[in-house]
Amino acid sequence: MTTRPVPELFSRIVDTALDRTVVPGFTAVGLGLRRRLPGWPADPAPGALAGRHVAVTGATSGLGRRTALDLAALGATVHLVVRDTTKGERVAAEVDAAAGRPGAARVWWCDAADLDSVRTFAGRFLAADLPLRAVVHNAGALPARRTESPQGHELTQALHVLGPVLMTDLLLPGLAADAGRVVLVTSGGMYTQALPADDPEYRHEPYSGSVAYARSKRGQVELLPVLTERWAPQGVTVHATHPGWARTPGLDASLPAFSRALRPVLRTDAAGVDTTTWVVASEPAPEGGHLWHDRRRRPTSVLPGTTPALADRVRYWAWVAGATGLAP
């Protein structure tokens, strides 16, 4: 019988306590404490991404902008996949200046909720013949009212699930060329919701933007096993990362009361993207198919009634495959 060394066991106990009590674990307090615990994974080496290409959606502000800056600081050429190219060019100039390299960032137009736009973008990107180390699906929205994508899908599902799945599937040739990593940036809100297998489009009950957002994020993590099986034959791994509670323009706009109440302990944007950067740049790659928060694997369900039956996951994936036109 083997036993864990006391420092490692102590670290696990403290880390789990932070995670389960939510408020300290999701705020700046949690990351600050965890960094000081034994066993904290090493930072990616300087220049870890030199010569590599990474695509980041929703890169004009908040966590997407910070992800682009931090990946470029490690040597990556960052492809900013954005709806507003004017803002994208401003961020690209900022990334170039911070990295000290002209061309450290390039701007691509794409509406990640519009499946036709996703197909057009993927075709243009593949035509550039660039190997992809990673795609970071960061684009997000929390609409106050039920809104539909150009294809008629509920917006949070289209933006957080359908668009990312289709985009990744189309970009597999580029990802396979560099043992690529796919990161779905999720949210702790998903812990409060079950998988909406019966009503993914949110048609049959009064709409709540925050609930729809959390359900779509639940969908991301529940698809991890399915997407791992689908993309692993190409040498591509898929991960979900939970940034904790970070102060961003999106949080201030969509949940202003929450943002004001927790402002003293909210994470910075750099702290919010720490685990995403680590997943993309660390060697060897973290194990695929899992949810990560503060550089550790996390359970995908902690509340009763939020763990889906296999049949629910199968039905949800069948809906995703049908909506995106992919073979299930």
Side-chain angles (χ1 to χ4, degrees):
M1 178 178 177
T2 59
T3 58
R4 289 180 178 172
V6 172
E8 182 184 349
L9 181 60
F10 171 76
S11 177
R12 290 284 183 180
I13 290 171
V14 173
D15 176 73
T16 301
L18 288 169
D19 200 49
R20 298 300 186 273
T21 49
V22 180
V23 175
F26 287 10
T27 61
V29 175
L31 181 61
L33 287 174
R34 286 173 172 133
R35 283 186 177 278
R36 292 165 173 78
L37 293 173
W40 176 256
D43 291 341
L49 295 173
R52 287 193 151 108
H53 296 265
V54 180
V56 181
T57 69
T60 53
S61 66
L63 299 183
R65 167 188 166 275
R66 175 49 60 183
T67 300
L69 285 164
D70 290 358
L71 294 175
L74 291 169
T77 297
V78 184
H79 299 269
L80 312 180
V81 184
V82 301
R83 288 192 306 163
D84 188 329
T85 55
T86 300
K87 290 182 179 178
E89 293 293 351
R90 286 201 292 266
V91 173
E94 183 183 6
V95 171
D96 286 0
R101 291 180 287 122
R106 305 179 191 176
V107 178
W108 301 76
W109 181 82
C110 178
D111 180 350
D114 180 343
L115 301 183
D116 291 337
S117 177
V118 168
R119 293 185 181 96
T120 299
F121 158 71
R124 291 174 57 229
F125 195 92
L126 289 178
D129 196 25
L130 299 172
L132 265 175
R133 159 44 64 101
V135 178
V136 178
H137 293 292
N138 168 83
L142 196 164
R145 299 176 180 83
R146 188 181 182 282
T147 307
E148 293 188 349
S149 72
Q151 287 74 38
H153 300 296
E154 191 276 320
L155 184 63
T156 63
Q157 292 285 346
L159 182 56
H160 304 149
V161 179
L162 302 181
V165 169
L166 178 62
M167 184 183 295
T168 301
D169 216 75
L170 295 173
L171 292 176
L172 278 180
L175 286 160
D178 194 15
R181 305 171 193 184
V182 180
V183 179
L184 299 163
V185 180
T186 189
S187 164
M190 66 93 189
Y191 281 116
T192 68
Q193 296 298 316
L195 184 67
D198 291 327
D199 186 20
E201 300 277 14
Y202 215 136
R203 297 185 186 278
H204 303 306
E205 58 185 292
Y207 187 82
S208 164
S210 59
V211 171
Y213 181 90
R215 287 179 178 177
S216 67
K217 296 299 184 176
R218 165 62 64 186
Q220 289 179 331
V221 299
E222 295 303 341
L223 286 180
L224 288 171
V226 178
L227 299 177
T228 293
E229 183 176 354
R230 184 177 182 88
W231 297 331
Q234 285 76 38
V236 175
T237 58
V238 58
H239 317 259
T241 59
H242 164 25
W245 293 337
R247 186 179 180 190
T248 64
L251 182 69
D252 289 344
S254 60
L255 296 172
F258 177 87
S259 182
R260 285 194 300 271
L262 290 176
R263 187 155 300 172
V265 293
L266 290 178
R267 298 181 178 206
T268 64
D269 56 0
V273 307
D274 174 82
T275 298
T276 295
T277 301
W278 174 77
V279 167
V280 171
S282 62
E283 293 291 353
E287 184 179 359
H290 300 294
L291 169 64
W292 300 87
H293 172 57
D294 286 351
R295 305 192 189 186
R296 286 194 188 275
R297 282 176 52 180
R298 305 293 171 186
T300 55
S301 294
V302 294
L303 297 177
T306 58
T307 302
L310 176 59
D312 290 336
R313 189 181 286 124
V314 169
R315 280 190 296 137
Y316 185 74
W317 166 239
W319 171 75
V320 171
T324 54
L326 299 177

